[in-house]
Structure formats: C-alpha cells, structure tokens
Amino acid sequence: MDSLFHWFDLVGVAVFAVSGTLVAYRKKLDGFGVIVLASVTAIGGGTVRDVILDAPVFWLQDQSYLYSIFVAAFITIVWVNKNKDFPQIVLEVADALGLAFFVVMGVQKALDYGVQDMTAVLMGTITCCFGGMIRDVLARQTPMVLKSELYATTCILGGIVYTQSLNFSVNTEVAMVLSMLATLSLRLGALKWGWSLPVFHYVKSK
Amino acid sequence: MDSLFHWFDLVGVAVFAVSGTLVAYRKKLDGFGVIVLASVTAIGGGTVRDVILDAPVFWLQDQSYLYSIFVAAFITIVWVNKNKDFPQIVLEVADALGLAFFVVMGVQKALDYGVQDMTAVLMGTITCCFGGMIRDVLARQTPMVLKSELYATTCILGGIVYTQSLNFSVNTEVAMVLSMLATLSLRLGALKWGWSLPVFHYVKSK
Amino acid sequence: MDSLFHWFDLVGVAVFAVSGTLVAYRKKLDGFGVIVLASVTAIGGGTVRDVILDAPVFWLQDQSYLYSIFVAAFITIVWVNKNKDFPQIVLEVADALGLAFFVVMGVQKALDYGVQDMTAVLMGTITCCFGGMIRDVLARQTPMVLKSELYATTCILGGIVYTQSLNFSVNTEVAMVLSMLATLSLRLGALKWGWSLPVFHYVKSK
C-alpha cells in the first residue's frame, strides 16, 4: 500500500512537472528556468502541505522525486522540440491528472496526521493547487486556481468524496478510485462545457 | 485569557476574510477563487508565523477558523450582491481592524516561543502583513504593504507599543488595548491624511 | 569554524539586503517598503531552506541578522540619496556575491541535516534563489531566476563543486573557496558575455 502510494506520488509529480515545463515553453523561458517552473509545480503543493502538517518534507530523504521531475521535464523538452507545438488540451489533461492523484495523497497524509475531515480536504486542496499557483505567480500569469472553471472546486469535491467514502467504510483503494474519478470528471467536464460557479451578480456580465 | 485570545483570533480572521472577499469581488473572481483569496488573506500571515516559529499551525486542529472564514465570506457576498457596490473605506477599515488584532496575537505568540523583543515585533508584522501580501500577489496588484501609507509601519509601531508596555509591567489586557489603539489610529490617520515615510530623495517627486 | 560560518552568513545577508534596497529604490518604494524588500531578499531563501529542513529558522534566536539588514539598508539609502543613481553592475555584483556565500551555507546546512548530495545542492539553490524570487514577485518584475543568464545554474554548479570537493576529501575551507570562486566566475561571466543555456528550439529566435 505504501509502495502503491509512492508510485502514485511519483506519477503525480511527473505530470505536474510536464505542466510546469509546458508553461516554461510558452513563456519562452530557457535552461534552468524550465527546471525551476517544473520543480515548483511538481513539489510546491506537497511541500506546503508537509510544512503546515509539520511532517518531514516528502522529497527531502528520497531523491526519486527529483529524478521523476528531471525525466518528465527532459521528455517534455524533447517532445516539444520535435513537434514545435502542443495542443492546449495536453496541458489541461496533464493538470487534471495531477489534481486527481494529488488530492487523494494530500487528504490521506493529512488524515494520517490526525486532522479532522474538513481540514484534511483543505490540505488535499493545498497539495493540488499551491504548486500550480506558485508556477503561475512566477510565470506572471493569472493563477489558474482563481479562474472560474472549477479548479479548486474539483479538488474540494475529490477530497469530500474520499473522506466520505472512508466514513462509509469503503475500502481505501476503492475510495481512492472513486475520488480520482470524481476529480477527473468534474475537471474535464468543466473544461469541455465551461462550467463555472457564479457567486457575485455583476451588473454587466464580463 | 486563552479563550479571549481565541475570540480575538477569530475576529481577526473574519475581518481579513472580508478584505480578501472584497478584493475577489473587485477582481471579478468567482466561486472558489473567492474562498482562496479570503482564506489566504485570513490565515496566510498566521500560518507563515507558526511555520517560522515551528509552532503547530493554529488552524490545523481547530476548525472554528475555517468556519469563521466561510461565514465572513458568505455574509460579504450576500451584502455585496444586495448593494452592488461598496465604499473603498470599508475595505480599508476592515484591513486596519485586522492589523490591530493580528499584531498583538502575533507578538504574543512569538514571545510565548521565547524569541527576543525585536524578533517578536517582526513576527507580529509578518502575521499582519503576509496574508494580505499573498492576496495581492495572487490578485496581481501591487502589494499594499509596499505602498507608502505606513502599512507595515503601523504593525511595527503596534508591536513596539505592546512589547514595551509589557516591559514596563503593564497588565497584559491593557497592553493589548494600547497596542491596538496605536495600530488603529496610525493606520487610519495615514489613510485619512496620506501620511508617508519618505526615505529616498527622488529627483522628481512621484 | 561555526563563528566563521556565522560571519559568512551575516555578509551574505547584508549583500542581499543591499540588492533588495536597490530594487526598492528603482521601484520608487518608500519607508518600510524598503525594509520589507531588503528583508525578504536577505533572509527569504534561508528561511525557506530551514523550514523545509525542519531546522530552527536561523534568524529567530539571533538578532544580529536583523541588525545586519538594517545597517546594510541604511548605508545603501544614504549612498543612493547622495549619488542619485547607481550603476546596474553594482546590483549584479552584490547579487553574485550573495549567491556565492549563500550556496555554500545552504549546502553545508542541508548536509548537516543528513540529506543526500543532490538534495543538498537543491537546498543550496533554494537558499540562493528564493529570497530574490520573492523580492521580484513582490516588486512585480520577472523573477531573475527565470531569465536565461545562468542564475540558478550558477548556484547548482557552486553546490556541485562543494559537495564533490568534500567527496574527494578536500578540506572544508578549501572546498568553500573553490565553490565560491566557481559560482562567482560563472555568474559574472554569464553577465559579461551573456552566456545562456538554450533548451527549447524556438522557431524564431527571441
């Protein structure tokens, strides 16, 4: 189980590193600017989660995460250089997959540290969203998490599905799959059909 | 006393959540973009303080802070939707109140962890300013704390009043009130009369 | 030895505080906006390093770092007001010196906490780069670390020189000097001759 979690974490780190590398490409960054964006996207959220939980930071004693970032960034660079372009959908699906993996990992780790359900859902959301948030701030673009296409909302939904499944004594593996399916389908649906969550009634729309 | 501190903390969190929600409204954010801005404004500064002090992060084992954010954000949304507009002064006074509460809480917590006076004042200033700083960075506006109307300065003054009052054996409650009055009056005065603290002699003013 | 390290740290903090103050001057900030930028530049990177290592934050129990920032900022303000201008090269050399000091301190502290070489080099890079990164984000300019003139790269090289020198049983002081020379010469060379590290083949250059 721990080993399965470790692989999930590595895959989540890799897809987020791909998303960071693609943003670096679109911003015409070079050299280690790519590595910086790939790294903060991939391990930023989990680092903030671990620091807040006062847990040992997950990549500190285990270099496999850093290798995962380097390999993912390298493959992305080779692919982008060969194909000169990439569809927006690739970035968005990579991101959605990262969300689905990370929300489960974040909520589970928070539960391991004994916090209550609502706080655990918040920690899962931080794991998902803070890496991309730091990436967007550094790349000087509006943080994706603040835009209206249900970005943070999908993390919160995925976290609620996971904690509630556990509360109803669902098997952990099943709860993980349910949560990831919920996150993925809400996020991809929001991207495809432009779902949003209006809160303020602005006088003139847009 | 601890219970009084807890209530102060909840009020500080609530007024900062209002300020985050109002920024989200002015930036035309929606859905959980509002919750993200309200939350980082409300608990960002205290989280950075606790992480640096290696104290347990204050909202991790106590969900009342999260409820406080949700309630404050909800009331603000309802009010804004009903009134379609809000005066700038509301945002500024809410922020000044948050400063006054948080500087005392931050300095006191740092003193509890055994740091010296000057460092405690710095920790109080971090508690006050970092939440709003993260809010402004995410909302892509110039951080209020860098502008010249004595923002960080008021926190430093409030912190100095508090630590010096304690050094002169003033009762804790009285020291808290003195410090909050100092913070509030300097901040509101700076807003009303445009006080600033020039440091550089620029060749052409402005 | 520890005392030598402490002095190195103080000098690194001071040159980074100078760089933060100069950015504040160029952005026409005033008052404590200067102190905020000087402080985050000077102690931001080391703070992030210590928080991730779960080490006591280096300036928390030792006010000499704060005095170092104030003195460096004060001298810079006096100098700038007297001379009305400063050459870009001053900012860049101050920054390069800060890098050279901080990469060694960061790598050594990470090694003291038992992390592996590659992770220690990363921690050295974080020590060097995160303070300036936060400074640039707050001052709303593109983070220097993302630009192509080998900024993070020099930190990584300096860190590798240090860890490898230690692995080849070089005396600690000699390893420090070698690492600092490597960092300084690569950074200054990159600035002088515009070295960069192209990764993506963009269809049109620039």
Side-chain angles (χ1 to χ4, degrees):
Chain A
M1 195 65 209
D2 274 357
S3 145
L4 180 64
F5 270 18
H6 188 240
W7 280 103
F8 268 49
D9 241 7
L10 284 179
V11 173
V13 162
V15 294
F16 267 22
V18 169
S19 123
T21 309
L22 291 179
V23 169
Y25 173 72
R26 304 206 306 183
K27 287 280 165 177
K28 299 203 175 301
L29 297 178
D30 242 335
F32 278 84
V34 175
I35 292 295
V36 171
L37 277 204
S39 305
V40 297
T41 312
I43 60 180
T47 304
V48 172
R49 173 201 63 203
D50 290 348
V51 163
I52 289 178
L53 287 175
D54 207 13
V57 174
F58 70 103
W59 49 267
L60 201 57
Q61 301 293 352
D62 181 351
Q63 296 194 133
S64 57
Y65 294 104
L66 304 184
Y67 291 125
S68 171
I69 293 172
F70 294 150
V71 170
F74 182 76
I75 292 176
T76 312
I77 289 170
V78 169
W79 189 86
V80 162
N81 281 334
K82 206 173 159 69
N83 297 277
K84 294 291 175 214
D85 200 7
F86 68 94
Q88 172 72 8
I89 186 75
V90 175
L91 179 51
E92 288 170 345
V93 172
D95 215 73
L97 279 168
L99 290 189
F101 282 118
F102 274 177
V103 74
V104 168
M105 305 308 306
V107 172
Q108 181 57 49
K109 188 152 188 181
L111 291 175
D112 289 346
Y113 276 76
V115 308
Q116 288 168 283
D117 278 7
M118 196 168 87
T119 314
V121 171
L122 179 62
M123 298 307 294
T125 309
I126 286 176
T127 312
C128 288
C129 298
F130 269 54
M133 209 161 86
I134 303 172
R135 175 200 62 206
D136 292 340
V137 165
L138 292 178
R140 288 157 62 87
Q141 56 191 18
T142 303
M144 224 189 234
V145 71
L146 295 184
K147 291 184 194 160
S148 44
E149 299 99 354
L150 303 188
Y151 195 87
T153 319
T154 55
C155 301
I156 293 170
L157 178 82
I160 290 173
V161 167
Y162 186 66
T163 52
Q164 290 312 305
S165 303
L166 292 184
N167 286 346
F168 283 98
S169 308
V170 172
N171 183 297
T172 309
E173 283 89 344
V174 176
M176 286 170 65
V177 172
L178 286 178
S179 161
M180 295 199 303
L181 285 178
T183 310
L184 260 180
S185 38
L186 182 60
R187 178 72 188 137
L188 296 178
L191 285 169
K192 186 160 175 50
W193 292 290
W195 293 336
S196 70
L197 195 70
V199 166
F200 293 118
H201 308 301
Y202 294 111
V203 180
K204 29 176 68 184
S205 70
K206 167 104 310 113
Chain B
M1 195 64 209
D2 273 356
S3 145
L4 180 65
F5 270 18
H6 188 239
W7 280 103
F8 268 48
D9 242 6
L10 284 179
V11 174
V13 162
V15 292
F16 267 24
V18 170
S19 123
T21 308
L22 291 179
V23 169
Y25 173 72
R26 304 206 306 183
K27 289 279 165 178
K28 299 202 176 302
L29 298 177
D30 241 336
F32 279 83
V34 175
I35 291 296
V36 171
L37 277 204
S39 305
V40 297
T41 313
I43 61 181
T47 304
V48 172
R49 173 200 64 202
D50 290 347
V51 163
I52 289 177
L53 287 175
D54 206 14
V57 173
F58 69 104
W59 48 268
L60 202 56
Q61 301 293 351
D62 181 352
Q63 297 193 131
S64 57
Y65 295 104
L66 304 183
Y67 291 124
S68 171
I69 294 172
F70 294 149
V71 171
F74 182 75
I75 292 175
T76 311
I77 289 170
V78 169
W79 189 85
V80 162
N81 281 333
K82 207 172 157 71
N83 297 278
K84 294 291 174 212
D85 201 7
F86 67 94
Q88 173 70 9
I89 187 73
V90 174
L91 178 52
E92 288 170 346
V93 171
D95 214 74
L97 279 169
L99 289 188
F101 282 117
F102 274 178
V103 74
V104 167
M105 304 307 307
V107 172
Q108 181 57 49
K109 187 152 190 182
L111 291 175
D112 289 344
Y113 276 77
V115 307
Q116 291 168 283
D117 278 6
M118 195 168 87
T119 313
V121 172
L122 179 61
M123 299 306 295
T125 308
I126 286 176
T127 312
C128 289
C129 298
F130 269 53
M133 208 160 87
I134 302 172
R135 174 200 64 206
D136 292 340
V137 165
L138 291 178
R140 289 156 61 87
Q141 56 191 16
T142 302
M144 225 188 231
V145 71
L146 295 184
K147 292 184 192 160
S148 42
E149 297 101 356
L150 303 188
Y151 196 87
T153 318
T154 54
C155 302
I156 293 170
L157 178 82
I160 291 173
V161 167
Y162 187 65
T163 52
Q164 289 313 303
S165 303
L166 293 185
N167 286 347
F168 284 98
S169 308
V170 172
N171 183 298
T172 309
E173 282 87 347
V174 176
M176 286 170 64
V177 172
L178 286 177
S179 160
M180 294 199 306
L181 284 178
T183 309
L184 260 182
S185 38
L186 182 59
R187 178 73 189 139
L188 295 179
L191 285 170
K192 186 159 173 54
W193 291 290
W195 294 335
S196 71
L197 194 70
V199 165
F200 294 118
H201 308 301
Y202 293 109
V203 179
K204 26 178 71 184
S205 71
K206 165 96 328 100
Chain C
M1 194 64 209
D2 272 357
S3 145
L4 180 65
F5 270 17
H6 188 239
W7 279 104
F8 268 49
D9 242 8
L10 284 179
V11 173
V13 162
V15 293
F16 267 23
V18 169
S19 123
T21 309
L22 291 179
V23 168
Y25 173 71
R26 304 206 306 182
K27 288 279 164 178
K28 300 203 174 301
L29 297 178
D30 243 335
F32 278 84
V34 175
I35 292 295
V36 171
L37 276 204
S39 304
V40 297
T41 313
I43 61 181
T47 304
V48 172
R49 173 200 63 203
D50 290 348
V51 163
I52 289 177
L53 287 175
D54 207 13
V57 173
F58 68 103
W59 49 267
L60 201 56
Q61 300 293 353
D62 181 352
Q63 296 193 131
S64 57
Y65 294 104
L66 303 184
Y67 291 125
S68 171
I69 294 172
F70 294 150
V71 170
F74 182 75
I75 293 176
T76 311
I77 289 170
V78 169
W79 190 85
V80 162
N81 280 334
K82 206 175 159 71
N83 296 277
K84 292 292 173 212
D85 200 7
F86 68 93
Q88 172 71 9
I89 187 74
V90 174
L91 178 52
E92 288 170 346
V93 171
D95 214 73
L97 279 169
L99 288 189
F101 282 117
F102 274 178
V103 75
V104 168
M105 304 308 305
V107 172
Q108 181 56 50
K109 186 150 188 183
L111 291 175
D112 289 346
Y113 276 77
V115 307
Q116 289 167 284
D117 278 7
M118 196 169 87
T119 313
V121 171
L122 179 61
M123 298 308 294
T125 308
I126 286 176
T127 313
C128 288
C129 298
F130 269 53
M133 210 161 84
I134 302 172
R135 174 200 63 206
D136 292 340
V137 164
L138 291 178
R140 286 156 64 87
Q141 56 190 17
T142 303
M144 226 188 232
V145 71
L146 295 183
K147 292 184 194 162
S148 42
E149 298 99 356
L150 303 187
Y151 195 87
T153 319
T154 55
C155 302
I156 293 171
L157 178 83
I160 291 174
V161 166
Y162 187 66
T163 52
Q164 289 313 305
S165 303
L166 293 185
N167 286 346
F168 283 99
S169 307
V170 172
N171 183 297
T172 309
E173 283 88 345
V174 177
M176 286 170 64
V177 172
L178 286 177
S179 161
M180 294 198 306
L181 285 178
T183 310
L184 259 181
S185 38
L186 182 60
R187 178 75 188 134
L188 295 179
L191 285 169
K192 186 160 174 52
W193 291 290
W195 293 335
S196 71
L197 194 71
V199 165
F200 293 117
H201 308 301
Y202 293 110
V203 180
K204 27 177 69 186
S205 70
K206 163 100 321 101

